[in-house]
């Protein structure tokens, strides 16, 4: 599939501001141009952006119901009530449970945690979970990364004399559960200054408020920031504002003094001794934590994150790593089966949405499969399977830029038993008799709303630069923009009319990747780069013809030596 390159527009005023910043700060004008693109136009704002400060975190009591939540928690601890920390089975939920449990552990001897079984109970608060709390004498449940729509479950708990404090970050409906407190910055009545916290982030704000109300030094919370960083990266929330501060200090903790559980994962996925980045969490740490809930039960991930003994941490890391290996094999097989179904759909090339269903698919990997289908066909995709614990069909949905998946699924809510999620990712469940109508309606919604140009993958390019900019000094300044993620993406650059230096070659087991060494006509290079899966460009490049590159700039460490290299996103013949 051919990508469309979009060079971000800039005005004369943008250039003027960037040059002014470059003069005042003494840094590369390209970096200043990137800052201006992100709305950072003053020296003060730049220094704040480059140096996130924990003092700039918002007052947690600005969040609706925070006073109520802290008052109820203080009462529970004072009366030695049994408290159940309840969280979803994904990375955000398990890190949130681990964070709150770790922080409250010194203040309570009657603390327990609960992770619902993906297959037996499904997402969020379950009646079974409430029954577990009732059976064990729990009088307060703190729900993390879930609960915002659990009206019937909270009512059921209230009838049993169990109170709820809900800490969630998903979109609420008009009616909120009848909990003691509902902490969610997306509430319509919320005046909290930042609405993009992860579920673990909301849990952190709750603990920050609890600490503040009990004169507990903030420093006692700082070691838990590693968990907020893992949740922020894995849940793909914006890395701006408060999230940027939490991620920045969480990464510091991960790199300098990780907890035993996270250290176990770091060791097993080959990150020991390396500087851990947001990308490492997204592609290595997060999937292993997630694999526990996908393949077995997320409880094991929490037990790992709470580990106090290195031997236990190592053993649980190995178990979770094996789950991840099993998950990889499973998701490849199901992706192949989903592709086979799609190949049989008539006129699929004219269809703007994809829905595939197989009752035998493993529920734990359908979200990953949906992501792979969206990436391959560049259409919103829904993957459905049959829940083993009920007669319901359950599914995961992923979207493309410009199509609000949550809103589309909400438009089918009369056919659904349950749904929730975000603009680009959502989950749903429905009865089998509604399946055909749901598919037709969703496809019709996609056909009506998606324009043809939206079905072409877009690469947003921040700046066109010469290769002479690609050096260690530029890399050091570029790193000051980290951590990168949604709404502060890693900058993408383009270099025009570059040539093979004469040493570019195919690499990989099947010679499918290009190892590049390139120069341009402006005194830049030779610069190394890697272009994964782009072997088709080899003959053109080896013929010494000019081509354009679009890439991010990375550090590559090998045998103790660190060099700067291009991580190539696309290649096009010059003037094509």
């Amino acid at each position: 599939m051919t990508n469309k390159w979009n060079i971000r527009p800039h005005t004369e005023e943008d250039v003027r501001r960037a040059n002014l910043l470059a003069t005042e700060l003494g840094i590369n004008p390209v970096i200043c141009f990137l800052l201006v693109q992100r709305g950072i136009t003053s020296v003060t704002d730049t220094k704040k952006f480059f140096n996130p400060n924990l003092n700039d975190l918002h007052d947690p009591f600005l969040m609706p119901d925070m006073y109520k939540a802290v008052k109820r928690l203080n009462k529970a601890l004072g009366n030695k009530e049994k408290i159940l920390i309840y969280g979803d089975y994904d990375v955000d939920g398990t890190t949130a449970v681990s964070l709150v449990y770790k922080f409250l552990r010194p203040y309570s001897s009657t603390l327990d945690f609960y992770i619902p079984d993906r297959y037996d109970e499904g997402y969020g608060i379950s009646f079974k979970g409430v029954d577990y709390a009732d059976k064990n004498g729990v009088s307060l449940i703190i729900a993390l990364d879930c609960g915002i729509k659990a009206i019937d479950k909270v009512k059921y708990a209230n009838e049993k004399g169990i109170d709820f404090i809900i800490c969630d970050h998903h979109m609420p409906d008009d009616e909120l559960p009848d909990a003691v407190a509902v902490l969610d910055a997306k509430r319509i009545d919320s005046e909290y200054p930042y609405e993009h916290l992860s579920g673990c982030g909301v849990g952190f704000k709750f603990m920050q408020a609890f600490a503040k109300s009990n004169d507990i030094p903030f420093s006692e919370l700082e070691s838990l920031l590693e968990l907020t960083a893992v949740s922020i990266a894995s849940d793909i929330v914006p890395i701006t504002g408060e999230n940027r501060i939490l991620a920045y200090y969480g990464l510091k903790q991960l790199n300098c003094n990780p907890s035993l559980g996270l250290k176990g994962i770091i060791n097993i996925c080959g990150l020991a001794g390396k500087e851990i980045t947001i990308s490492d969490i997204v592609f290595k740490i997060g999937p292993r934590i997630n694999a526990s809930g996908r393949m077995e039960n997320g409880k094991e991930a929490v037990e790992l994150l709470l580990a106090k003994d290195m031997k236990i941490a190592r053993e649980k890391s190995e178990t979770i790593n094996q789950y991840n290996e099993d998950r990889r094999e499973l998701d490849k097989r199901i992706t192949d089966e989903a592709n086979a179904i799609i190949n049989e759909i008539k006129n699929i090339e004219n269809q703007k949405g994809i829905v595939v269903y197989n009752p035998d698919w493993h529920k734990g990997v359908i979200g990953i499969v949906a992501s792979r289908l969206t990436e391959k066909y560049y259409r919103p995709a829904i993957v459905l399977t049959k829940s083993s614990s009920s007669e319901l069909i359950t599914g995961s949905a992923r979207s493309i830029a410009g199509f609000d998946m949550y809103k589309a699924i909400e438009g089918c809510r009369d056919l659904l038993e349950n749904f929730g999620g975000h603009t680009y990712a959502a989950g749903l469940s429905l009865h089998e008799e509604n399946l055909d109508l749901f598919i037709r309606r969703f496809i019709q919604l996609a056909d009506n709303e998606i324009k043809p140009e939206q079905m072409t993958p877009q690469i947003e390019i921040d700046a066109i630069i010469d290769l002479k900019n690609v050096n260690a000094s530029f890399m050091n300044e570029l790193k000051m923009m980290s951590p990168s993620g949604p709404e502060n993406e890693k900058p993408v650059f383009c270099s025009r009319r570059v040539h093979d230096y004469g040493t570019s070659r195919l690499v990989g087991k099947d010679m499918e990747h290009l190892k590049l060494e390139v120069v341009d006509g402006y005194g830049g290079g030779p610069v190394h780069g890697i272009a994964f899966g782009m072997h088709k460009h080899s003959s053109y490049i080896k013929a010494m013809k000019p081509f354009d590159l679009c890439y991010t700039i990375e550090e590559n460490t090998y045998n103790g030596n660190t060099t700067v290299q291009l991580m190539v996103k696309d290649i096009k013949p010059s003037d094509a």
Side-chain angles (χ1 to χ4, degrees):
M1 190 175 289
T2 303
N3 299 308
K4 182 183 177 185
W5 295 13
N6 297 323
I7 312 293
R8 292 190 190 276
H10 60 269
T11 64
E12 288 184 10
E13 178 63 14
D14 291 337
V15 174
R16 186 192 70 79
R17 286 178 169 176
N19 288 334
L20 188 62
L21 272 183
T23 301
E24 292 177 322
L25 294 168
I27 58 178
N28 193 302
V30 175
I31 300 293
C32 295
F33 182 67
L34 298 173
L35 292 170
V36 169
Q37 282 181 334
R38 287 154 176 75
I40 301 162
T41 58
S42 71
V43 172
T44 302
D45 288 346
T46 301
K47 288 179 177 177
K48 230 175 184 182
F49 182 76
F50 282 164
N51 302 286
N53 195 316
L54 290 168
N55 291 327
D56 291 329
L57 292 175
H58 302 303
D59 180 353
F61 287 103
L62 294 174
M63 196 174 290
D65 284 2
M66 187 62 83
Y67 282 100
K68 294 178 184 177
V70 171
K71 182 180 179 182
R72 182 64 184 90
L73 176 56
N74 282 333
K75 178 186 173 185
L77 292 171
N79 293 338
K80 294 183 169 49
E81 296 177 47
K82 286 190 175 180
I83 302 171
L84 185 67
I85 315 299
Y86 189 118
D88 193 23
Y89 40 68
D90 67 1
V91 179
D92 196 12
T94 53
T95 52
V97 167
S98 302
L99 185 149
V100 173
Y101 189 93
K102 272 188 173 185
F103 193 68
L104 293 182
R105 187 161 49 186
Y107 307 104
S108 173
S109 59
T110 54
L111 207 58
D112 193 7
F113 71 86
Y114 188 91
I115 305 293
D117 185 279
R118 182 190 288 262
Y119 309 102
D120 185 35
E121 297 165 82
Y123 168 79
I125 310 298
S126 69
F127 289 114
K128 184 177 178 180
V130 175
D131 286 340
Y132 173 89
D134 184 45
K135 181 182 176 182
N136 287 276
V138 169
S139 54
L140 174 63
I141 297 175
I142 299 173
L144 296 149
D145 189 36
C146 59
I148 196 67
K149 295 185 177 184
I151 291 169
D152 53 346
K153 278 86 171 183
V154 171
K155 181 182 178 183
Y156 181 65
N158 289 342
E159 291 168 355
K160 293 178 175 292
I162 300 170
D163 287 337
F164 257 96
I165 294 172
I166 292 171
C167 305
D168 207 345
H169 70 130
H170 296 97
M171 287 297 298
D173 283 335
D174 293 337
E175 183 184 357
L176 296 176
D178 185 22
V180 170
V182 178
L183 306 178
D184 190 334
K186 290 189 175 76
R187 280 176 52 165
I188 196 167
D189 61 341
S190 175
E191 295 181 1
Y192 191 74
Y194 190 75
E195 68 173 10
H196 301 299
L197 293 165
S198 64
C200 184
V202 178
F204 179 84
K205 298 305 295 187
F206 182 23
M207 293 301 95
Q208 184 188 1
F210 168 74
K212 194 171 182 179
S213 76
N214 289 283
D215 296 321
I216 300 168
F218 182 86
S219 57
E220 293 194 22
L221 277 164
E222 289 186 36
S223 65
L224 302 176
L225 289 171
E226 61 177 13
L227 294 166
T228 66
V230 172
S231 78
I232 287 165
S234 301
D235 218 52
I236 322 294
V237 292
I239 303 187
T240 56
E242 197 161 36
N243 278 345
R244 180 175 169 78
I245 299 170
L246 296 171
Y248 179 88
Y249 284 93
L251 282 172
K252 273 192 169 185
Q253 181 72 23
L254 265 182
N255 280 293
C256 298
N257 189 27
S259 62
L260 291 179
L262 282 169
K263 191 172 185 178
I265 301 175
I266 289 166
N267 290 339
I268 209 155
C269 61
L271 291 172
K274 298 180 180 178
E275 183 179 359
I276 296 166
T277 64
I278 291 291
S279 292
D280 292 324
I281 297 173
V282 171
F283 294 109
K284 294 184 178 180
I285 296 173
R288 283 167 172 81
I289 297 174
N290 240 343
S292 176
R294 291 188 187 281
M295 304 304 293
E296 292 293 333
N297 189 293
K299 183 180 179 184
E300 290 187 83
V302 177
E303 289 170 347
L304 169 62
L305 294 172
L306 295 176
K308 293 181 175 181
D309 178 271
M310 195 62 220
K311 182 174 180 289
I312 292 173
R314 184 168 58 249
E315 289 171 356
K316 290 194 176 295
S317 295
E318 289 170 355
T319 300
I320 282 175
N321 192 58
Q322 185 57 52
Y323 290 155
N324 194 50
E325 293 301 314
D326 296 343
R327 187 272 306 165
R328 282 179 173 176
E329 292 179 16
L330 197 58
D331 106 54
K332 183 184 185 306
R333 176 175 64 78
I334 294 176
T335 300
D336 290 343
E337 292 174 4
N339 281 321
I341 293 172
I342 292 166
N343 290 337
E344 295 298 316
I345 298 175
K346 292 179 181 178
N347 299 318
I348 184 64
E349 64 277 2
N350 298 320
Q351 192 171 294
K352 294 178 181 177
I354 292 171
V355 184
V356 288
Y357 169 59
N358 183 322
D360 299 322
W361 283 339
H362 195 288
K363 186 180 173 185
V365 299
I366 57 174
I368 300 171
V369 175
S371 294
R372 298 202 192 288
L373 297 182
T374 298
E375 184 179 345
K376 179 175 181 178
Y377 299 101
Y378 212 72
R379 292 168 171 84
I382 300 177
V383 180
L384 300 162
T385 188
K386 197 73 170 283
S387 174
S388 59
S389 60
S390 72
E391 289 303 305
L392 290 177
I393 288 172
T394 60
S396 285
R398 299 294 183 269
S399 194
I400 59 173
F403 182 75
D404 189 330
M405 181 60 84
Y406 181 87
K407 186 177 177 183
I409 290 175
E410 188 177 37
C412 306
R413 69 184 303 161
D414 58 304
L415 302 173
L416 304 176
E417 289 302 299
N418 198 9
F419 72 97
H422 309 283
T423 301
Y424 292 110
L428 63 145
S429 63
L430 69 161
H431 287 290
E432 192 158 6
E433 59 264 29
N434 291 329
L435 177 61
D436 290 341
L437 181 54
F438 169 76
I439 293 174
R440 289 199 301 274
R441 193 187 296 180
F442 174 78
I443 295 297
Q444 189 63 54
L445 277 165
D447 286 347
N448 290 343
E449 293 185 26
I450 297 174
K451 298 179 177 64
E453 57 268 24
Q454 284 178 257
M455 297 170 66
T456 299
Q458 314 277 313
I459 298 178
E460 303 296 329
I461 296 171
D462 293 276
I464 298 172
I465 63 173
D466 299 333
L467 291 179
K468 64 185 177 185
N469 277 293
V470 184
N471 53 46
S473 173
F474 185 69
M475 185 70 220
N476 288 336
E477 292 183 354
L478 198 58
K479 284 167 69 176
M480 292 193 293
M481 299 188 70
S482 298
S484 299
E487 297 188 28
N488 180 40
E489 299 283 357
K490 192 171 288 186
V492 177
F493 301 102
C494 172
S495 290
R496 304 281 201 195
R497 303 190 68 79
V498 305
H499 294 266
D500 178 22
Y501 187 57
T503 49
S504 297
R505 66 190 190 278
L506 289 170
V507 296
K509 182 182 176 184
D510 299 314
M511 295 290 133
E512 69 272 38
H513 312 309
L514 264 172
K515 181 82 171 172
L516 295 172
E517 196 166 5
V518 293
V519 293
D520 62 18
Y522 311 102
V527 176
H528 294 274
I530 184 72
F532 291 111
M534 299 188 197
H535 56 90
K536 65 181 180 180
H537 299 289
S538 177
S539 56
Y540 182 92
I541 289 170
K542 294 306 289 181
M544 304 301 288
K545 293 179 181 178
F547 57 98
D548 299 345
L549 279 179
C550 110
Y551 54 87
T552 58
I553 304 174
E554 317 283 342
E555 283 186 327
N556 181 41
T557 301
Y558 183 73
N559 284 341
N561 295 318
T562 300
T563 56
V564 177
Q565 73 170 7
L566 313 180
M567 188 66 69
V568 178
K569 297 175 76 69
D570 203 7
I571 297 172
K572 287 185 179 180
S574 295
D575 307 320

